[in-house]
Amino acid sequence: MENFLNLMYFFGNTPAGDDLVGITFWIGTMAMMAASAFFFLSMGSVDGKWKTSLLVSGLITFIAAVHYMYMRDAHAEGDSTTVFRYVDWILTVPLMCVEFYLILKAAGATTKHLRDLVVLSTIMLVTGYVGEAGLGNASLWGLFSGLAYFAIVYMIKFGELAKLAASAGGAVQSAHNTLVLFVIIGWAIYPVGYMIGTGDGMWYSFMTGLVAAENMDFIYNVGDSINKIGFGLVVYNLAVSK
Ligand SMILES: *C/C=C(C)/C=C/C=C(C)/C=C/C1=C(C)CCCC1(C)C
């Protein structure tokens, strides 16, 4: 019993029933942990060429699980989660770029493609951090971030990577196309959360009128679960396809 209680302490205190953000940090931690175990354990049963892709899927959700524990505690203390959030993203989003590269490597993707994606995602996140942490005008820095986001979408949807995916065809092409959809639809959740969280006094303050600013973390948590676990499942699906 004592050990069980210690274990529960490790997972943290359960949040109050009406604390939606706290509950999603708590459930998010569990979901990311479960997904990591699934992706790591699946490595043993897939073709050798996909093992690294599954390893990366597991690392993405594992890194998020660890940051969710910190964010859950910070939230429970009433502290800001912004630094943990962006440290998580600066590690996991480049790993998502690695997934695009690994999937298309056999079709001719080069480390230059990977570098371009990583540079763009770093610009997207660093400029977003400046705006969200209040180090600069949130609207202006959010715009810079959005431009880098569009450049990423362009690269994978219309650029060379899209052409390589088309040349590969079959399961590789459809996995690439599904990941592209995650980036276009799933990643678009984040700028919405950002506008809600930073809307005060901005031209987009109507967003905060729709959903209160405190819900920014809730929106980010939903986005993370969809995107991080979703990305991993697309890769898993490719790895087990014939
Ligand atoms: C696992 C975490 C992921 C996939 C995080 C993705 C984050 C973004 C796509 C963030 C984008 C932003 C903008 C496009 C503009 C406003 C600032 C950001 C950083 C929220």
Side-chain angles (χ1 to χ4, degrees):
M1 188 61 191
E2 179 129 337
N3 285 340
F4 178 71
L5 288 177
N6 284 339
L7 184 67
M8 288 315 287
Y9 183 73
F10 170 73
F11 284 120
N13 298 316
T14 51
D18 59 353
D19 176 9
L20 196 60
V21 172
I23 290 172
T24 52
F25 275 128
W26 189 54
I27 295 177
T29 309
M30 303 293 168
M32 296 291 181
M33 281 184 178
S36 309
F38 176 75
F39 296 134
F40 288 143
L41 291 173
S42 301
M43 285 175 66
S45 55
V46 301
D47 192 281
K49 67 176 191 255
W50 298 122
K51 282 198 203 304
T52 317
S53 304
L54 271 179
L55 174 68
V56 173
S57 296
L59 286 175
I60 290 168
T61 49
F62 181 74
I63 291 169
V66 173
H67 286 88
Y68 268 62
M69 292 201 251
Y70 283 105
M71 287 195 279
R72 183 201 56 200
D73 289 351
H75 171 78
E77 300 286 325
D79 295 338
S80 165
T81 55
T82 308
V83 171
F84 294 129
R85 179 76 74 185
Y86 277 83
V87 171
D88 173 330
W89 289 353
I90 207 87
L91 297 171
T92 52
V93 174
L95 285 174
M96 295 169 113
C97 299
V98 170
E99 297 284 33
F100 278 103
Y101 165 72
L102 288 176
I103 286 180
L104 294 177
K105 205 172 147 197
T110 63
T111 49
K112 189 189 161 295
H113 295 119
L114 174 60
R115 187 202 60 201
D116 290 352
L117 285 178
V118 170
V119 167
L120 286 170
S121 62
T122 305
I123 294 172
M124 174 181 84
L125 294 173
V126 170
T127 51
Y129 178 77
V130 171
E132 195 172 317
L135 304 173
N137 180 287
S139 158
L140 184 67
W141 288 92
L143 179 73
F144 290 148
S145 176
L147 291 174
Y149 171 51
F150 284 137
I152 294 171
V153 170
Y154 182 85
M155 253 190 95
I156 56 179
K157 173 86 186 157
F158 305 106
E160 283 173 29
L161 291 175
K163 298 192 176 84
L164 292 177
S167 72
V172 167
Q173 185 183 12
S174 63
H176 175 84
N177 289 346
T178 314
L179 292 184
V180 170
L181 276 185
F182 270 97
V183 173
I184 294 175
I185 300 169
W187 289 21
I189 295 171
Y190 299 98
V192 172
Y194 178 92
M195 289 170 99
I196 284 166
T198 62
D200 193 29
M202 297 290 164
W203 62 267
Y204 51 83
S205 62
F206 68 92
M207 301 281 284
T208 309
L210 299 176
V211 185
E214 301 86 79
N215 291 309
M216 181 183 68
D217 268 312
F218 172 75
I219 295 169
Y220 284 165
N221 289 353
V222 171
D224 277 355
S225 283
I226 293 175
N227 290 302
K228 291 184 165 64
I229 300 174
F231 244 66
L233 288 174
V234 172
V235 170
Y236 171 80
N237 194 46
L238 172 64
V240 296
S241 70
K242 284 276 133 15

